[in-house]
Amino acid sequence: MLKTPVLVLLSVAMLPSPLEAAECAGCCCCSGHCAFSNPCACPCPPPPFPGGLPKCGLQNLQDSFVGKYKEVVARLSALPDGTSQYPDKTAPTKSSTCPPTPPGSQPSCGFTWGASSGWTSGFFPGLLWQLANVTSDPVFMSAAPKWTAGREVEKTTTSTHDIGFMIFGSFGNGIQLGSSNASYADVIVEAAHSLALRYNSKVGMIRSWGDINDNKKFEVIIDNLMNLELLFWAAAHTGNATLKDIAVSHTIRTGELWIRADGSTAHLCVFDPLTGKLQSPCTGTPQGLAANSTWARGQGWGIYGFTMAHRYTGDPTMLSFATQCANFFIKNTGVDNIPLWDFDAQPPQAFKDTSGAAIAASALLELAVTTGDQKWRDDAAQIMESLGAEPGLFAPPNSSEAVVIANRHDCSFDSCTVIESDYYVFEAIRRFSGHYP
């Protein structure tokens, strides 16, 4: 459980009493952007501070993102096809480690870049939009629309549900975070109609995997909740009730069938596309440890997706689903605040996962605003403080193109990063500043 406050303090003597620790979220004896809104009453030394206050964990994370991604943009901009390249996950060039390289040289672990139509391709332009929104830096203001433009080709894609990640992650972030390009709305609406073609009225859901005309099985994964914002936004923008009805149906079905009694979630459910009935119980967790285990990233998708759906609908049922998922996540995350890649993982497979942590932190911040419950914000603050301070979660300088690491489940080594980890960490940083969605 997230019980122990993560404190940025100058000495052990300044630690709060047990009573203070129980009543407050953390301490802000630091400089810059602090995650905690109700900090402990820790006795900071009077100015002038001897040696200066340490930088707050949240500020340190933000500064790392700005510096790191300026370097990435500069490197890609120098390539003839740089603005058509999109990252997936980091990979070591010579070994399974990412040793630091000399300042100014390319990190030893870089993202795998390509002219990708993969599901992660919207995260990089989305991250650039978020950086532009927070910093107003001309580097990011110029870069974000350039990398967004390359995703328009996906607006007619009907072969995957991930068109939501690809289009709303890029164009959706653009239109919500400052772009004045009127064509962005048209792209989102067309993409929403493409996604809607994967809907089956008997199942009441959008097909995740498989051919759109497959009549033998209809597979749906919890990740699909995240793609529904494409439909919700397009419905709100155009007044198209059908798009909203599809998104609502999918959300409700997910809450009813995926969430277990203890608030944990399955990953995959398989239906008969002709009858709409489940072919077997929703126990499949192909990206987790076992059929009945709980994949941390999937649990994060649940918190985020249900909370987002409530934002567009105001439906209290969706908020109930979100809080069930959130309560399980917090209860089953250790005192260091970062979940294992699967909540049921045991040594030697018990490795941490920053992607699940980042998705949950961002989602918890919106859940706090939605419910008015400060507890969720405090939980998010502790996750973010750990991401910036716990050894093995933050990439050492000049070692990786990414900021956070520890996605071993995705690429078999500890220093690996999937791009969505960096995306959701920075989204949480932006949300701590009070910027939503």
Side-chain angles (χ1 to χ4, degrees):
M1 295 178 66
L2 299 180
K3 293 181 178 178
T4 306
V6 179
L7 308 176
V8 182
L9 298 172
L10 295 181
S11 71
V12 176
M14 295 177 188
L15 287 172
S17 68
L19 179 60
E20 289 173 323
E23 294 180 342
C24 59
C27 187
C28 292
C29 281
C30 54
S31 62
H33 193 182
C34 181
F36 301 111
S37 64
N38 61 331
C40 302
C42 54
C44 295
F49 303 112
L53 284 175
K55 187 183 292 186
C56 297
L58 201 65
Q59 186 66 52
N60 188 52
L61 276 173
Q62 179 173 319
D63 292 349
S64 296
F65 271 92
V66 172
K68 185 85 70 173
Y69 281 95
K70 276 190 174 182
E71 293 175 0
V72 171
V73 168
R75 185 178 67 79
L76 290 173
S77 297
L79 301 176
D81 61 347
T83 57
S84 64
Q85 300 291 304
Y86 298 88
D88 181 13
K89 60 188 71 172
T90 56
T93 54
K94 296 181 179 180
S95 68
S96 61
T97 60
C98 299
T101 57
S105 61
Q106 188 169 341
S108 57
C109 280
F111 282 112
T112 303
W113 296 86
S116 169
S117 59
W119 77 275
T120 61
S121 60
F123 287 121
F124 181 58
L127 177 55
L128 294 175
W129 280 116
Q130 301 221 32
L131 283 158
N133 178 257
V134 170
T135 67
S136 298
D137 191 300
V139 170
F140 300 122
M141 299 288 285
S142 173
K146 292 178 182 177
W147 269 272
T148 294
R151 297 298 79 212
E152 185 173 355
V153 297
E154 304 300 338
K155 66 184 180 182
T156 58
T157 294
T158 60
S159 59
T160 175
H161 68 158
D162 289 324
I163 185 175
F165 280 116
M166 293 185 283
I167 294 295
F168 207 81
S170 51
F171 289 91
N173 269 300
I175 208 166
Q176 291 182 321
L177 301 180
S179 174
S180 58
N181 190 329
S183 70
Y184 280 21
D186 297 333
V187 173
I188 294 169
V189 170
E190 185 169 358
H193 284 280
S194 297
L195 178 60
L197 293 175
R198 296 183 65 81
Y199 179 74
N200 180 312
S201 59
K202 288 186 171 62
V203 179
M205 305 192 80
I206 292 170
R207 184 193 299 267
S208 295
W209 295 338
D211 185 82
I212 197 170
N213 295 314
D214 184 351
N215 286 323
K216 295 182 179 179
K217 62 181 179 179
F218 191 98
E219 296 177 307
V220 185
I221 58 177
I222 195 167
D223 318 37
N224 209 344
L225 281 171
M226 302 295 288
N227 294 300
L228 300 181
E229 187 161 15
L230 187 68
L231 300 179
F232 279 125
W233 190 94
H237 181 73
T238 64
N240 187 316
T242 299
L243 294 177
K244 182 177 180 180
D245 290 345
I246 290 172
V248 167
S249 175
H250 188 108
T251 305
I252 296 296
R253 292 279 280 167
T254 304
E256 292 173 343
L257 297 175
W258 267 254
I259 301 177
R260 304 176 182 128
D262 62 355
S264 66
T265 56
H267 181 233
L268 170 68
C269 296
V270 184
F271 301 85
D272 183 324
L274 301 180
T275 66
K277 295 181 179 179
L278 279 170
Q279 291 186 343
S280 60
C282 294
T283 57
T285 308
Q287 291 182 334
L289 181 70
N292 290 303
S293 68
T294 304
W295 180 44
R297 192 185 306 164
Q299 194 73 17
W301 292 143
I303 306 168
Y304 196 117
F306 290 125
T307 304
M308 173 272 295
H310 178 271
R311 186 201 320 150
Y312 283 95
T313 65
D315 188 336
T317 302
M318 298 177 184
L319 198 59
S320 173
F321 293 150
T323 55
Q324 289 177 62
C325 293
N327 280 321
F328 178 90
F329 190 99
I330 299 305
K331 180 180 178 181
N332 291 278
T333 299
V335 294
D336 57 359
N337 312 321
I338 307 298
L340 301 177
W341 69 281
D342 189 290
F343 284 102
D344 296 315
Q346 299 293 324
Q349 295 179 302
F351 33 82
K352 298 292 185 179
D353 180 61
T354 54
S355 69
I359 294 161
S362 183
L364 289 169
L365 287 168
E366 181 168 7
L367 188 60
V369 171
T370 302
T371 62
D373 190 342
Q374 177 72 24
K375 165 188 167 9
W376 302 122
R377 190 187 190 283
D378 295 343
D379 290 335
Q382 294 187 34
I383 291 171
M384 293 295 287
E385 286 289 299
S386 291
L387 283 172
E390 186 175 325
L393 303 181
F394 190 82
N398 302 318
S399 67
S400 174
E401 282 190 314
V403 175
V404 296
I405 53 176
N407 297 137
R408 181 175 176 178
H409 171 60
D410 293 273
C411 35
S412 303
F413 68 103
D414 292 334
S415 297
C416 168
T417 305
V418 288
I419 183 61
E420 59 266 31
S421 294
D422 269 11
Y423 173 89
Y424 286 106
V425 168
F426 198 80
E427 181 178 77
I429 292 171
R430 184 175 61 82
R431 287 180 165 185
F432 269 114
S433 301
H435 300 293
Y436 289 86

PDB file of all heavy atoms in Angstrom, residues 374-400:
ATOM      1  N   GLN A 374      -8.735  14.172  -2.297  1.00  0.00           N
ATOM      2  CA  GLN A 374      -7.304  14.463  -2.285  1.00  0.00           C
ATOM      3  C   GLN A 374      -6.448  13.201  -2.210  1.00  0.00           C
ATOM      4  O   GLN A 374      -5.291  13.189  -2.649  1.00  0.00           O
ATOM      5  CB  GLN A 374      -6.990  15.366  -1.089  1.00  0.00           C
ATOM      6  CG  GLN A 374      -5.527  15.711  -0.895  1.00  0.00           C
ATOM      7  CD  GLN A 374      -4.999  16.675  -1.935  1.00  0.00           C
ATOM      8  OE1 GLN A 374      -5.776  17.424  -2.521  1.00  0.00           O
ATOM      9  NE2 GLN A 374      -3.692  16.658  -2.163  1.00  0.00           N
ATOM     10  N   LYS A 375      -7.000  12.132  -1.681  1.00  0.00           N
ATOM     11  CA  LYS A 375      -6.253  10.876  -1.530  1.00  0.00           C
ATOM     12  C   LYS A 375      -5.646  10.435  -2.847  1.00  0.00           C
ATOM     13  O   LYS A 375      -4.491   9.990  -2.892  1.00  0.00           O
ATOM     14  CB  LYS A 375      -7.184   9.794  -0.994  1.00  0.00           C
ATOM     15  CG  LYS A 375      -6.641   8.376  -1.131  1.00  0.00           C
ATOM     16  CD  LYS A 375      -7.682   7.348  -0.776  1.00  0.00           C
ATOM     17  CE  LYS A 375      -7.333   5.926  -1.163  1.00  0.00           C
ATOM     18  NZ  LYS A 375      -6.021   5.623  -1.637  1.00  0.00           N
ATOM     19  N   TRP A 376      -6.394  10.536  -3.930  1.00  0.00           N
ATOM     20  CA  TRP A 376      -5.892  10.055  -5.225  1.00  0.00           C
ATOM     21  C   TRP A 376      -4.718  10.909  -5.689  1.00  0.00           C
ATOM     22  O   TRP A 376      -3.764  10.397  -6.278  1.00  0.00           O
ATOM     23  CB  TRP A 376      -7.010  10.051  -6.267  1.00  0.00           C
ATOM     24  CG  TRP A 376      -8.191   9.220  -5.903  1.00  0.00           C
ATOM     25  CD1 TRP A 376      -9.492   9.629  -5.788  1.00  0.00           C
ATOM     26  CD2 TRP A 376      -8.198   7.813  -5.607  1.00  0.00           C
ATOM     27  NE1 TRP A 376     -10.303   8.591  -5.431  1.00  0.00           N
ATOM     28  CE2 TRP A 376      -9.532   7.455  -5.311  1.00  0.00           C
ATOM     29  CE3 TRP A 376      -7.215   6.835  -5.551  1.00  0.00           C
ATOM     30  CZ2 TRP A 376      -9.902   6.151  -4.982  1.00  0.00           C
ATOM     31  CZ3 TRP A 376      -7.574   5.531  -5.219  1.00  0.00           C
ATOM     32  CH2 TRP A 376      -8.904   5.201  -4.936  1.00  0.00           C
ATOM     33  N   ARG A 377      -4.764  12.194  -5.419  1.00  0.00           N
ATOM     34  CA  ARG A 377      -3.644  13.058  -5.797  1.00  0.00           C
ATOM     35  C   ARG A 377      -2.402  12.718  -4.973  1.00  0.00           C
ATOM     36  O   ARG A 377      -1.281  12.707  -5.499  1.00  0.00           O
ATOM     37  CB  ARG A 377      -4.004  14.533  -5.604  1.00  0.00           C
ATOM     38  CG  ARG A 377      -2.970  15.489  -6.204  1.00  0.00           C
ATOM     39  CD  ARG A 377      -3.264  16.943  -5.854  1.00  0.00           C
ATOM     40  NE  ARG A 377      -2.418  17.851  -6.628  1.00  0.00           N
ATOM     41  CZ  ARG A 377      -1.131  18.101  -6.374  1.00  0.00           C
ATOM     42  NH1 ARG A 377      -0.539  17.484  -5.355  1.00  0.00           N
ATOM     43  NH2 ARG A 377      -0.445  18.935  -7.122  1.00  0.00           N
ATOM     44  N   ASP A 378      -2.608  12.446  -3.705  1.00  0.00           N
ATOM     45  CA  ASP A 378      -1.487  12.083  -2.854  1.00  0.00           C
ATOM     46  C   ASP A 378      -0.834  10.784  -3.326  1.00  0.00           C
ATOM     47  O   ASP A 378       0.390  10.645  -3.338  1.00  0.00           O
ATOM     48  CB  ASP A 378      -1.943  11.938  -1.405  1.00  0.00           C
ATOM     49  CG  ASP A 378      -2.418  13.260  -0.803  1.00  0.00           C
ATOM     50  OD1 ASP A 378      -2.102  14.321  -1.377  1.00  0.00           O
ATOM     51  OD2 ASP A 378      -3.095  13.219   0.237  1.00  0.00           O
ATOM     52  N   ASP A 379      -1.658   9.824  -3.718  1.00  0.00           N
ATOM     53  CA  ASP A 379      -1.119   8.567  -4.224  1.00  0.00           C
ATOM     54  C   ASP A 379      -0.317   8.793  -5.506  1.00  0.00           C
ATOM     55  O   ASP A 379       0.761   8.220  -5.686  1.00  0.00           O
ATOM     56  CB  ASP A 379      -2.252   7.577  -4.497  1.00  0.00           C
ATOM     57  CG  ASP A 379      -2.913   7.065  -3.227  1.00  0.00           C
ATOM     58  OD1 ASP A 379      -2.256   7.078  -2.163  1.00  0.00           O
ATOM     59  OD2 ASP A 379      -4.085   6.647  -3.292  1.00  0.00           O
ATOM     60  N   ALA A 380      -0.845   9.639  -6.383  1.00  0.00           N
ATOM     61  CA  ALA A 380      -0.124   9.959  -7.615  1.00  0.00           C
ATOM     62  C   ALA A 380       1.195  10.657  -7.316  1.00  0.00           C
ATOM     63  O   ALA A 380       2.221  10.391  -7.963  1.00  0.00           O
ATOM     64  CB  ALA A 380      -0.997  10.837  -8.518  1.00  0.00           C
ATOM     65  N   ALA A 381       1.196  11.543  -6.328  1.00  0.00           N
ATOM     66  CA  ALA A 381       2.422  12.268  -5.966  1.00  0.00           C
ATOM     67  C   ALA A 381       3.501  11.305  -5.488  1.00  0.00           C
ATOM     68  O   ALA A 381       4.681  11.441  -5.840  1.00  0.00           O
ATOM     69  CB  ALA A 381       2.113  13.299  -4.884  1.00  0.00           C
ATOM     70  N   GLN A 382       3.117  10.332  -4.708  1.00  0.00           N
ATOM     71  CA  GLN A 382       4.105   9.379  -4.208  1.00  0.00           C
ATOM     72  C   GLN A 382       4.659   8.512  -5.329  1.00  0.00           C
ATOM     73  O   GLN A 382       5.859   8.197  -5.355  1.00  0.00           O
ATOM     74  CB  GLN A 382       3.483   8.545  -3.094  1.00  0.00           C
ATOM     75  CG  GLN A 382       3.159   9.374  -1.862  1.00  0.00           C
ATOM     76  CD  GLN A 382       2.701   8.534  -0.682  1.00  0.00           C
ATOM     77  OE1 GLN A 382       3.173   7.419  -0.497  1.00  0.00           O
ATOM     78  NE2 GLN A 382       1.786   9.074   0.108  1.00  0.00           N
ATOM     79  N   ILE A 383       3.824   8.125  -6.279  1.00  0.00           N
ATOM     80  CA  ILE A 383       4.314   7.380  -7.440  1.00  0.00           C
ATOM     81  C   ILE A 383       5.331   8.213  -8.208  1.00  0.00           C
ATOM     82  O   ILE A 383       6.412   7.744  -8.573  1.00  0.00           O
ATOM     83  CB  ILE A 383       3.142   6.985  -8.364  1.00  0.00           C
ATOM     84  CG1 ILE A 383       2.251   5.940  -7.692  1.00  0.00           C
ATOM     85  CG2 ILE A 383       3.671   6.437  -9.693  1.00  0.00           C
ATOM     86  CD1 ILE A 383       0.961   5.652  -8.443  1.00  0.00           C
ATOM     87  N   MET A 384       5.015   9.478  -8.444  1.00  0.00           N
ATOM     88  CA  MET A 384       5.894  10.333  -9.239  1.00  0.00           C
ATOM     89  C   MET A 384       7.200  10.619  -8.524  1.00  0.00           C
ATOM     90  O   MET A 384       8.273  10.690  -9.141  1.00  0.00           O
ATOM     91  CB  MET A 384       5.178  11.636  -9.583  1.00  0.00           C
ATOM     92  CG  MET A 384       3.990  11.455 -10.528  1.00  0.00           C
ATOM     93  SD  MET A 384       4.468  10.874 -12.156  1.00  0.00           S
ATOM     94  CE  MET A 384       5.219  12.365 -12.816  1.00  0.00           C
ATOM     95  N   GLU A 385       7.155  10.812  -7.212  1.00  0.00           N
ATOM     96  CA  GLU A 385       8.379  11.021  -6.465  1.00  0.00           C
ATOM     97  C   GLU A 385       9.297   9.797  -6.559  1.00  0.00           C
ATOM     98  O   GLU A 385      10.510   9.910  -6.708  1.00  0.00           O
ATOM     99  CB  GLU A 385       8.069  11.336  -5.005  1.00  0.00           C
ATOM    100  CG  GLU A 385       7.527  12.735  -4.786  1.00  0.00           C
ATOM    101  CD  GLU A 385       8.586  13.810  -4.977  1.00  0.00           C
ATOM    102  OE1 GLU A 385       9.578  13.795  -4.230  1.00  0.00           O
ATOM    103  OE2 GLU A 385       8.425  14.640  -5.875  1.00  0.00           O
ATOM    104  N   SER A 386       8.700   8.609  -6.494  1.00  0.00           N
ATOM    105  CA  SER A 386       9.495   7.392  -6.613  1.00  0.00           C
ATOM    106  C   SER A 386      10.093   7.254  -8.005  1.00  0.00           C
ATOM    107  O   SER A 386      11.241   6.814  -8.160  1.00  0.00           O
ATOM    108  CB  SER A 386       8.630   6.167  -6.298  1.00  0.00           C
ATOM    109  OG  SER A 386       8.275   6.135  -4.932  1.00  0.00           O
ATOM    110  N   LEU A 387       9.342   7.610  -9.035  1.00  0.00           N
ATOM    111  CA  LEU A 387       9.857   7.517 -10.400  1.00  0.00           C
ATOM    112  C   LEU A 387      11.110   8.357 -10.580  1.00  0.00           C
ATOM    113  O   LEU A 387      12.022   7.981 -11.324  1.00  0.00           O
ATOM    114  CB  LEU A 387       8.790   7.964 -11.404  1.00  0.00           C
ATOM    115  CG  LEU A 387       7.679   6.958 -11.709  1.00  0.00           C
ATOM    116  CD1 LEU A 387       6.592   7.609 -12.558  1.00  0.00           C
ATOM    117  CD2 LEU A 387       8.239   5.737 -12.413  1.00  0.00           C
ATOM    118  N   GLY A 388      11.165   9.499  -9.906  1.00  0.00           N
ATOM    119  CA  GLY A 388      12.310  10.382 -10.052  1.00  0.00           C
ATOM    120  C   GLY A 388      13.446  10.102  -9.101  1.00  0.00           C
ATOM    121  O   GLY A 388      14.538  10.647  -9.269  1.00  0.00           O
ATOM    122  N   ALA A 389      13.199   9.247  -8.086  1.00  0.00           N
ATOM    123  CA  ALA A 389      14.209   9.085  -7.037  1.00  0.00           C
ATOM    124  C   ALA A 389      14.678   7.660  -6.834  1.00  0.00           C
ATOM    125  O   ALA A 389      15.807   7.435  -6.411  1.00  0.00           O
ATOM    126  CB  ALA A 389      13.654   9.624  -5.712  1.00  0.00           C
ATOM    127  N   GLU A 390      13.839   6.671  -7.113  1.00  0.00           N
ATOM    128  CA  GLU A 390      14.211   5.291  -6.810  1.00  0.00           C
ATOM    129  C   GLU A 390      15.246   4.777  -7.805  1.00  0.00           C
ATOM    130  O   GLU A 390      15.071   4.904  -9.023  1.00  0.00           O
ATOM    131  CB  GLU A 390      12.970   4.391  -6.844  1.00  0.00           C
ATOM    132  CG  GLU A 390      13.255   2.971  -6.390  1.00  0.00           C
ATOM    133  CD  GLU A 390      11.998   2.125  -6.323  1.00  0.00           C
ATOM    134  OE1 GLU A 390      10.935   2.668  -5.966  1.00  0.00           O
ATOM    135  OE2 GLU A 390      12.080   0.927  -6.628  1.00  0.00           O
ATOM    136  N   PRO A 391      16.325   4.188  -7.334  1.00  0.00           N
ATOM    137  CA  PRO A 391      17.351   3.659  -8.237  1.00  0.00           C
ATOM    138  C   PRO A 391      16.784   2.634  -9.217  1.00  0.00           C
ATOM    139  O   PRO A 391      15.937   1.820  -8.857  1.00  0.00           O
ATOM    140  CB  PRO A 391      18.353   3.000  -7.282  1.00  0.00           C
ATOM    141  CG  PRO A 391      18.151   3.685  -5.974  1.00  0.00           C
ATOM    142  CD  PRO A 391      16.689   4.008  -5.920  1.00  0.00           C
ATOM    143  N   GLY A 392      17.234   2.725 -10.451  1.00  0.00           N
ATOM    144  CA  GLY A 392      16.825   1.762 -11.460  1.00  0.00           C
ATOM    145  C   GLY A 392      15.579   2.124 -12.223  1.00  0.00           C
ATOM    146  O   GLY A 392      15.142   1.370 -13.099  1.00  0.00           O
ATOM    147  N   LEU A 393      14.984   3.274 -11.933  1.00  0.00           N
ATOM    148  CA  LEU A 393      13.773   3.697 -12.648  1.00  0.00           C
ATOM    149  C   LEU A 393      14.016   4.916 -13.529  1.00  0.00           C
ATOM    150  O   LEU A 393      13.219   5.200 -14.429  1.00  0.00           O
ATOM    151  CB  LEU A 393      12.656   4.023 -11.647  1.00  0.00           C
ATOM    152  CG  LEU A 393      12.254   2.923 -10.666  1.00  0.00           C
ATOM    153  CD1 LEU A 393      11.122   3.410  -9.778  1.00  0.00           C
ATOM    154  CD2 LEU A 393      11.859   1.649 -11.402  1.00  0.00           C
ATOM    155  N   PHE A 394      15.078   5.620 -13.282  1.00  0.00           N
ATOM    156  CA  PHE A 394      15.388   6.880 -13.952  1.00  0.00           C
ATOM    157  C   PHE A 394      16.680   6.682 -14.734  1.00  0.00           C
ATOM    158  O   PHE A 394      17.687   6.243 -14.177  1.00  0.00           O
ATOM    159  CB  PHE A 394      15.548   7.977 -12.885  1.00  0.00           C
ATOM    160  CG  PHE A 394      15.638   9.378 -13.417  1.00  0.00           C
ATOM    161  CD1 PHE A 394      14.500  10.085 -13.758  1.00  0.00           C
ATOM    162  CD2 PHE A 394      16.873   9.999 -13.567  1.00  0.00           C
ATOM    163  CE1 PHE A 394      14.582  11.381 -14.228  1.00  0.00           C
ATOM    164  CE2 PHE A 394      16.965  11.302 -14.030  1.00  0.00           C
ATOM    165  CZ  PHE A 394      15.815  11.986 -14.363  1.00  0.00           C
ATOM    166  N   ALA A 395      16.654   6.973 -16.029  1.00  0.00           N
ATOM    167  CA  ALA A 395      17.828   6.719 -16.862  1.00  0.00           C
ATOM    168  C   ALA A 395      18.997   7.616 -16.454  1.00  0.00           C
ATOM    169  O   ALA A 395      18.831   8.834 -16.352  1.00  0.00           O
ATOM    170  CB  ALA A 395      17.483   6.957 -18.327  1.00  0.00           C
ATOM    171  N   PRO A 396      20.175   7.052 -16.204  1.00  0.00           N
ATOM    172  CA  PRO A 396      21.348   7.882 -15.911  1.00  0.00           C
ATOM    173  C   PRO A 396      21.645   8.817 -17.085  1.00  0.00           C
ATOM    174  O   PRO A 396      21.305   8.520 -18.228  1.00  0.00           O
ATOM    175  CB  PRO A 396      22.473   6.861 -15.729  1.00  0.00           C
ATOM    176  CG  PRO A 396      21.781   5.586 -15.396  1.00  0.00           C
ATOM    177  CD  PRO A 396      20.488   5.623 -16.149  1.00  0.00           C
ATOM    178  N   PRO A 397      22.270   9.969 -16.832  1.00  0.00           N
ATOM    179  CA  PRO A 397      22.588  10.913 -17.910  1.00  0.00           C
ATOM    180  C   PRO A 397      23.376  10.252 -19.044  1.00  0.00           C
ATOM    181  O   PRO A 397      24.252   9.422 -18.807  1.00  0.00           O
ATOM    182  CB  PRO A 397      23.418  11.992 -17.203  1.00  0.00           C
ATOM    183  CG  PRO A 397      23.002  11.908 -15.775  1.00  0.00           C
ATOM    184  CD  PRO A 397      22.714  10.460 -15.512  1.00  0.00           C
ATOM    185  N   ASN A 398      23.031  10.610 -20.264  1.00  0.00           N
ATOM    186  CA  ASN A 398      23.753  10.152 -21.460  1.00  0.00           C
ATOM    187  C   ASN A 398      23.740   8.638 -21.623  1.00  0.00           C
ATOM    188  O   ASN A 398      24.647   8.074 -22.229  1.00  0.00           O
ATOM    189  CB  ASN A 398      25.200  10.653 -21.451  1.00  0.00           C
ATOM    190  CG  ASN A 398      25.297  12.158 -21.374  1.00  0.00           C
ATOM    191  OD1 ASN A 398      24.547  12.863 -22.043  1.00  0.00           O
ATOM    192  ND2 ASN A 398      26.197  12.651 -20.539  1.00  0.00           N
ATOM    193  N   SER A 399      22.730   7.978 -21.081  1.00  0.00           N
ATOM    194  CA  SER A 399      22.669   6.525 -21.222  1.00  0.00           C
ATOM    195  C   SER A 399      21.507   6.076 -22.106  1.00  0.00           C
ATOM    196  O   SER A 399      21.559   4.995 -22.683  1.00  0.00           O
ATOM    197  CB  SER A 399      22.542   5.859 -19.853  1.00  0.00           C
ATOM    198  OG  SER A 399      21.292   6.169 -19.258  1.00  0.00           O
ATOM    199  N   SER A 400      20.454   6.883 -22.201  1.00  0.00           N
ATOM    200  CA  SER A 400      19.264   6.478 -22.940  1.00  0.00           C
ATOM    201  C   SER A 400      18.587   7.698 -23.555  1.00  0.00           C
ATOM    202  O   SER A 400      18.687   8.810 -23.028  1.00  0.00           O
ATOM    203  CB  SER A 400      18.279   5.774 -21.997  1.00  0.00           C
ATOM    204  OG  SER A 400      17.053   5.481 -22.638  1.00  0.00           O
TER     205      SER A 400
END
